[in-house]
Amino acid sequence: VQLQASGGGLVQAEGYLRLSCGAPGRTFNTMAWFRQAPGKEREFVAAIRRSADRSYADSVKGRFAISRDNAKNMVYLQMNSLKPEDTAIYYCAGVSASRNYPIISSLSRATTYDTWGQGTLVTVSS
């Protein structure tokens, strides 16, 4: 079962959006958001372990906040002060609960995650 992301849309610069993601019946020890802008490679945005340890890309620190609801197996990304350069398809990813906890230094690597969602488009207009 894939992760299902939602909450994307069109917003003006300095606006905000909240993305949600989860997979019915699945649990993950670590969940994350990545994004891919047109013509660019997929990049790490933020990650959160079940213990609530968080990691952020420098480009979103202070503007984005990742959180999770362990009871609902959901992860969220609150995006504030959005910029046109935040325009991208946002993907959520997870590390299955049956696998070992990834170390903090590996949270930004796409290869750490074994489950991915289909992506949700975020467009920020200037």
Side-chain angles (χ1 to χ4, degrees):
V1 176
Q2 279 191 321
L3 288 159
Q4 299 169 7
S6 62
L10 173 64
V11 64
Q12 289 188 328
E14 296 304 315
Y16 63 91
L17 282 174
R18 185 182 190 233
L19 306 183
S20 302
C21 179
R26 294 283 307 273
T27 57
F28 302 93
N29 62 43
T30 302
M31 302 185 80
W33 291 94
F34 286 74
R35 66 186 181 186
Q36 187 166 17
K40 295 187 177 181
E41 294 186 352
R42 189 172 299 190
E43 65 175 4
F44 170 74
V45 176
I48 184 169
R49 302 201 298 184
R50 193 171 182 87
S51 58
D53 297 325
R54 293 171 172 85
S55 179
Y56 292 96
D58 289 342
S59 59
V60 305
K61 280 181 182 177
R63 300 189 299 122
F64 291 11
I66 190 170
S67 61
R68 64 185 293 171
D69 184 331
N70 291 331
K72 296 180 180 179
N73 297 317
M74 294 287 293
V75 65
Y76 307 97
L77 186 68
Q78 179 67 41
M79 305 186 294
N80 300 324
S81 301
L82 282 161
K83 303 175 181 180
E85 51 263 44
D86 294 318
T87 294
I89 298 175
Y90 283 70
Y91 298 90
C92 64
V95 178
S96 297
S98 58
R99 296 183 59 186
N100 291 333
Y101 250 106
I103 57 177
I104 292 289
S105 60
S106 71
L107 294 182
S108 62
R109 298 180 210 146
T111 53
T112 295
Y113 303 88
D114 61 351
T115 306
W116 289 82
Q118 82 289 358
T120 185
L121 177 62
V122 172
T123 304
V124 184
S125 62
S126 56

